[in-house]
Amino acid sequence: MITRRGILKSSMGVAVGTVYHGTLISFLTGCGSDNNNNQEVVEVMAGGLMVVNPVICVSCRRCEIACSWNHEGDCSPTLARVKVERNMNFGPHGVQFDYQTQHGECGDGTVIPATCRQCEVCTEVCPQQAISTNPLTGAKVIDEERCVGCGYCADKCPQQVIKVVRSKMKAVKCDLCNGKPACAQVCPTGAIKFYPWEEAEAALEQYEKYTGLVS
């Protein structure tokens, strides 16, 4: 019987939080570790698995447009919950002295989409208790009626993907689009993918049949 608990406890490298180089992830994305440079990032959430592979991101920024349109009704990347532009030139760590190893278009060409990892930091620091967890998706969701736009969550966000929209003085962040992330649906290269648990479990079952492993 393939279960979510079985996936989390499996020996294939998948664990709660951010995990790298999982065999399951390579199977899901259809890429071996030799092809993707072992840079996939996977978030294990209540609603499924968010997989980000920066190696195949071409910085088209369609994810930002889809996100802003889905949430704000405006094709404005600055309003998007997913951030690509910020890491386009020099990667998430900014300008480095070693241009041969830094990410970004001015480095090794790897553009890293910055996505919310749905950790607990924002919920813990919000003084208004305006951020809660959606039990179905695992996403941290902001209640705009309670939010006062203080920016504490944005300041403490480890990925710096929460922002305060000044026009309405409310914080905004990824809510996984109720389990169907718009960014993953429009990504032309598959650099951002979301696998609901049903799909992830089916893929794991196929993997075990292929390799002869047993849960």
Side-chain angles (χ1 to χ4, degrees):
M1 179 72 177
I2 306 298
T3 65
R4 301 177 189 182
R5 182 181 298 274
I7 290 179
L8 296 180
K9 286 189 174 182
S10 71
S11 60
M12 288 181 285
V14 180
V16 175
T18 302
V19 291
Y20 294 86
H21 320 148
T23 305
L24 173 59
I25 287 76
S26 295
F27 181 75
L28 287 173
T29 58
C31 298
S33 59
D34 292 338
N35 295 327
N36 56 30
N37 295 329
N38 290 333
Q39 293 192 42
E40 303 109 322
V41 178
V42 178
E43 302 305 324
V44 180
M45 305 172 187
L49 302 174
M50 176 71 85
V51 181
V52 178
N53 188 341
V55 174
I56 56 178
C57 175
V58 294
S59 63
C60 67
R61 303 177 68 185
R62 292 185 185 182
C63 56
E64 293 179 326
I65 294 174
C67 179
S68 62
W69 178 260
N70 193 45
H71 289 93
E72 305 294 337
D74 187 357
C75 291
S76 174
T78 59
L79 297 177
R81 276 69 162 167
V82 57
K83 301 297 180 184
V84 175
E85 185 273 338
R86 186 184 64 202
N87 294 333
M88 281 178 62
N89 290 332
F90 304 104
H93 303 296
V95 179
Q96 306 293 311
F97 291 106
D98 187 352
Y99 288 91
Q100 293 182 340
T101 59
Q102 76 177 21
H103 292 311
E105 295 176 347
C106 295
D108 62 8
T110 300
V111 178
I112 302 178
T115 57
C116 176
R117 299 183 180 177
Q118 307 298 342
C119 65
E120 301 291 336
V121 174
C122 57
T123 60
E124 294 172 351
V125 302
C126 178
Q128 299 297 116
Q129 297 183 330
I131 306 177
S132 59
T133 302
N134 183 317
L136 297 179
T137 65
K140 304 301 181 291
V141 181
I142 297 175
D143 183 345
E144 290 196 355
E145 292 187 2
R146 290 189 175 188
C147 177
V148 296
C150 65
Y152 285 174
C153 57
D155 181 61
K156 299 299 182 181
C157 175
Q159 286 75 49
Q160 295 295 294
V161 290
I162 302 178
K163 68 174 297 179
V164 176
V165 177
R166 297 301 174 184
S167 61
K168 59 182 181 180
M169 286 306 296
K170 301 292 182 181
V172 296
K173 68 174 297 295
C174 171
D175 58 7
L176 290 180
C177 299
N178 293 319
K180 296 181 179 180
C183 57
Q185 294 183 55
V186 302
C187 180
T189 65
I192 301 178
K193 290 185 177 181
F194 184 78
Y195 297 90
W197 277 112
E198 290 75 14
E199 293 183 16
E201 291 170 354
L204 179 60
E205 185 174 8
Q206 292 178 13
Y207 174 81
E208 290 183 328
K209 288 181 180 179
Y210 177 76
T211 60
L213 296 176
V214 179
S215 294

